[in-house]
Amino acid sequence: MTQEQALAILKTGANVFLTGEPGAGKTHTINEYASYLRSRGIEPSITASTGIAATHIGGTTIHSWSGIGIRNYLDKYTLDKISTTEYLSKRIRRAKVLVIDEVSMLGPDTFSMVEAVCRDIRQNNDAFGGLQVILVGDFFQLPPVVKNEIQSVGARHALPLPFQEKSARFAYESPAWKRTNPMVCYLTEQHRQDDNNFLELLAAIRRNSFNDTHLSQIETRKITTDNAPDKAVKLYTHNLNVDRTNDAMLDTFSGHPVTFTMTSKGSPGLVATLQRGCLSPYNLILKVGAKVMFTKNNPKEGFVNGTLGMVVGFDSYVGLPIIKTNDGRKITVEKMDWSVDENGKSRARISQLPLRLAWAITVHKSQGMSLDEAVVDLSEVFEFGQGYVALSRVRRLAGLHLLGWNERAFQVHPEVLAEDTAFRASSEAALTAFAQIAPEELQKMHDNFVKASSGHVISSAAERSLTPDEIDSPIGASRTSTSVGMKKKRKGTGFEEIRKKHANAFKRWTEGQDEELRQFFANDMSIEELAKTFGRKTGAIRMRLVKLGLLEE
């Protein structure tokens, strides 16, 4: 299934499990859908199973969003407490669309608890209380952490969730998954790797058909520590190896160490969640010569999460580090924010340089990254999928350097292997079913979901004539005022009224205007000033900047 086909299904409001191989474009598809919803006045709730994954998508953890926190069971008292917490109750009742990223790392009990909370607060017995639920992830990647703990006294009084086998480990084994009954959208495109031999090797691991031919390819990438490339990041399975490598390497430099300390503001619990999910450490110690990796996206400054470089100095004004990236660019790095926002207001924020020492990182923290080159040690792999995640971070086989591997390194979970066959079949069935729906009927389904979610419908004629960056619709606009506005546009008066204030509103951008926009934005002209200069609304300016890669979405 292509990204466009998956988007067409998402827009109908169906519950969806969006899956596919690493690099298939799952996050991009969700970002496209989120932009589509926001342009129609619908704000999706973007969450993830872990803090690290949440920082990648600009969301919060599902544990925080739902109010379950770190609980491993749900009793009547706890459910009542969550349901009567005003901000949680308002958040969940107002929600229309819930996205849960990296669902493969969410255990079945946790998944059931979140679903139960949504049903209770929304007073609706449908799955998740009637929300559209989009589950994103790949079960071949890292599974949930299993805690072998003695059952607590409180857990014995947990609410009787629907029966499931005690050995259940994955979210799809949860009764709540069956209640949700998501349509499967299995993306089959590849946007990370462009090396056909490497793609076949990764596919063989995924199919559990890894053989001697594939092993011989792997053996060509075997190296020793002494001949590991200097600029390549090292991936280890254990934190101990990562910390030991980074600390030892930093100590080899004789320069003066400079410490940058994280600052925070807001709810202590949410701050703690942000800190756990942030790839930048609380105390970042740097020296000239230190190898670093950027931990956040900032297209305007020319770096993304995973960009590698070296500290070449500190500026003479406030002592900010100057990083020379591997492709030769110099960037003076300032602190950036990681935040939890709700209804346009920040509930918690941390600030730190978007950097970490990068001689080594864990495979777990590499999930979601794309690397040109990596030195990988799979000799201590202890979990199914760990080796697969590590290998699939690299774009080409030529960029892979292996220190070693063990028997489990190229294995995937046998239960997931069996379930994947069912997922693929379900995706094919969905694709076949939607192919039989006439375009006009499909558009009607899209519009009906927007209306049901209190959003505003953009007419087909208007959408055909406009590019996405030219649609500027205020978040939270009421259905009544929006519908009136749309009627005016159909009569031919809406654009005229808007253009009295914004002369170029809804007009296509020219190449010359794009170039001018790039220059003005590079010279720090504000979005408000750019709107006046180009005769467009501020929202249209923001969306154009995102499309040009100058502003983070």
Side-chain angles (χ1 to χ4, degrees):
M1 185 180 292
T2 66
Q3 294 178 11
E4 290 75 16
Q5 290 165 333
L7 275 169
I9 294 174
L10 287 168
K11 291 175 184 178
T12 66
N15 292 336
V16 167
F17 171 41
L18 182 68
T19 189
E21 298 178 7
K26 297 184 289 292
T27 299
H28 176 76
T29 302
I30 288 302
N31 287 339
E32 287 290 303
Y33 185 49
S35 296
Y36 165 86
L37 292 172
R38 287 169 180 144
S39 71
R40 286 154 177 79
I42 304 166
E43 182 61 30
S45 299
I46 308 294
T47 73
S49 60
T50 68
I52 294 169
T55 60
H56 289 338
I57 61 172
T60 186
T61 64
I62 187 62
H63 307 74
S64 174
W65 183 88
S66 64
I68 65 170
I70 60 173
R71 296 177 179 86
N72 54 16
Y73 70 91
L74 195 63
D75 58 22
K76 189 176 186 305
Y77 170 78
T78 304
L79 184 59
D80 287 344
K81 185 177 179 182
I82 292 172
S83 299
T84 54
T85 301
E86 187 176 2
Y87 78 89
L88 288 172
S89 182
K90 281 184 179 179
R91 171 196 292 163
I92 294 173
R93 274 203 297 264
R94 289 174 179 172
K96 305 295 181 185
V97 179
L98 173 62
V99 176
I100 306 178
D101 195 18
E102 297 292 5
V103 71
S104 64
M105 298 181 73
L106 200 64
D109 290 337
T110 305
F111 189 80
S112 287
M113 285 193 284
V114 173
E115 195 272 337
V117 166
C118 290
R119 267 190 292 118
D120 190 73
I121 288 178
R122 294 172 67 85
Q123 292 294 290
N124 183 326
N125 206 39
D126 291 338
F128 285 87
L131 287 171
Q132 182 192 24
V133 182
I134 303 165
L135 309 169
V136 187
D138 176 17
F139 285 101
F140 279 112
Q141 298 191 53
L142 297 175
V145 175
V146 176
K147 296 180 180 179
N148 297 316
E149 297 175 348
I150 297 173
Q151 187 185 42
S152 68
V153 174
R156 297 187 196 117
H157 301 287
L159 287 174
L161 296 172
F163 174 78
Q164 66 186 39
E165 295 291 336
K166 288 199 173 188
S167 60
R169 185 173 186 185
F170 301 100
Y172 62 74
E173 299 175 280
S174 162
W177 185 286
K178 294 176 178 63
R179 180 193 287 269
T180 305
N181 192 26
M183 191 171 289
V184 180
C185 292
Y186 205 122
L187 299 179
T188 54
E189 298 170 303
Q190 181 51 243
H191 301 277
R192 178 178 296 158
Q193 284 92 13
D194 56 8
D195 178 338
N196 289 333
N197 288 334
F198 191 35
L199 280 170
E200 169 53 31
L201 189 152
L202 293 173
I205 295 174
R206 195 178 180 91
R207 294 190 305 264
N208 199 31
S209 60
F210 187 84
N211 56 32
D212 290 343
T213 301
H214 301 118
L215 183 60
S216 66
Q217 287 182 285
I218 287 290
E219 287 172 341
T220 66
R221 309 311 305 160
K222 182 80 163 62
I223 62 165
T224 63
T225 305
D226 293 336
N227 60 9
D230 292 335
K231 290 188 176 182
V233 64
K234 292 182 175 68
L235 300 185
Y236 290 104
T237 53
H238 292 71
N239 277 305
L240 184 65
N241 294 329
V242 169
D243 294 340
R244 184 187 296 136
T245 299
N246 284 332
D247 291 344
M249 289 301 297
L250 190 65
D251 285 343
T252 63
F253 292 85
S254 60
H256 176 70
V258 181
T259 302
F260 299 89
T261 302
M262 183 182 290
T263 59
S264 62
K265 183 179 180 181
S267 163
L270 291 177
V271 165
T273 299
L274 285 170
Q275 289 174 339
R276 284 195 298 271
C278 183
L279 291 175
S280 294
Y282 184 83
N283 283 314
L284 175 65
I285 302 174
L286 298 177
K287 295 179 182 179
V288 171
K291 184 174 181 179
V292 293
M293 179 178 69
F294 285 87
T295 60
K296 201 168 173 64
N297 296 328
N298 191 333
K300 181 184 175 183
E301 295 297 330
F303 60 82
V304 297
N305 180 19
T307 297
L308 295 169
M310 179 187 295
V311 179
V312 293
F314 298 90
D315 78 59
S316 57
Y317 299 103
V318 289
L320 293 172
I322 302 168
I323 309 301
K324 184 177 181 181
T325 63
N326 283 2
D327 61 5
R329 292 174 295 115
K330 286 189 178 180
I331 303 171
T332 300
V333 185
E334 299 181 11
K335 281 191 173 183
M336 292 182 70
D337 293 339
W338 287 257
S339 64
V340 175
D341 298 325
E342 189 174 346
N343 297 326
K345 295 181 180 178
S346 174
R347 296 196 58 226
R349 175 180 285 108
I350 60 174
S351 298
Q352 177 58 296
L353 294 176
L355 297 170
R356 65 172 291 122
L357 294 177
W359 286 286
I361 57 174
T362 62
V363 172
H364 175 80
K365 288 181 178 176
S366 75
Q367 193 155 318
M369 291 180 180
S370 297
L371 302 170
D372 290 321
E373 193 173 33
V375 175
V376 183
D377 186 357
L378 300 180
S379 60
E380 295 182 60
V381 166
F382 58 89
E383 183 59 87
F384 288 115
Q386 217 169 15
Y388 179 65
V389 168
L391 296 177
S392 59
R393 295 312 95 203
V394 185
R395 291 187 174 91
R396 298 172 194 86
L397 187 62
L400 176 66
H401 309 280
L402 278 167
L403 293 172
W405 54 86
N406 63 13
E407 289 184 2
R408 182 163 278 195
F410 311 117
Q411 295 177 1
V412 292
H413 203 293
E415 291 177 24
V416 173
L417 187 67
E419 196 69 24
D420 189 64
T421 302
F423 287 146
R424 287 181 182 273
S426 295
S427 180
E428 285 297 322
L431 199 55
T432 301
F434 270 81
Q436 297 172 6
I437 301 174
E440 298 79 10
E441 183 62 26
L442 189 60
Q443 184 60 53
K444 187 176 180 181
M445 293 169 71
H446 294 169
D447 292 346
N448 285 343
F449 178 63
V450 169
K451 291 174 185 175
S453 301
S454 302
H456 54 266
V457 173
I458 297 174
S459 70
S460 299
E463 192 152 33
R464 281 196 298 270
S465 65
L466 301 177
T467 53
D469 54 294
E470 294 170 309
I471 299 169
D472 178 35
S473 306
I475 299 298
S478 69
R479 180 187 286 183
T480 303
S481 63
T482 303
S483 62
V484 171
M486 290 308 294
K487 285 177 182 175
K488 286 181 179 178
K489 289 177 186 177
R490 289 191 193 102
K491 291 178 181 177
T493 61
F495 288 175
E496 294 169 13
E497 289 298 314
I498 294 172
R499 283 175 182 158
K500 287 179 181 178
K501 187 174 181 180
H502 308 283
N504 293 314
F506 300 104
K507 289 183 179 178
R508 292 186 179 277
W509 288 79
T510 66
E511 290 184 9
Q513 288 172 334
D514 280 345
E515 186 55 37
E516 287 181 352
L517 182 62
R518 288 189 182 94
Q519 292 177 0
F520 290 148
F521 188 68
N523 290 326
D524 294 325
M525 184 179 284
S526 71
I527 288 177
E528 289 74 16
E529 291 173 323
L530 289 169
K532 291 177 183 178
T533 302
F534 288 92
R536 297 179 186 267
K537 300 177 82 174
T538 55
I541 295 294
R542 286 193 189 92
M543 296 183 82
R544 194 65 184 176
L545 290 170
V546 169
K547 183 164 186 176
L548 294 174
L550 300 173
L551 194 65
E552 189 174 359
E553 196 166 3

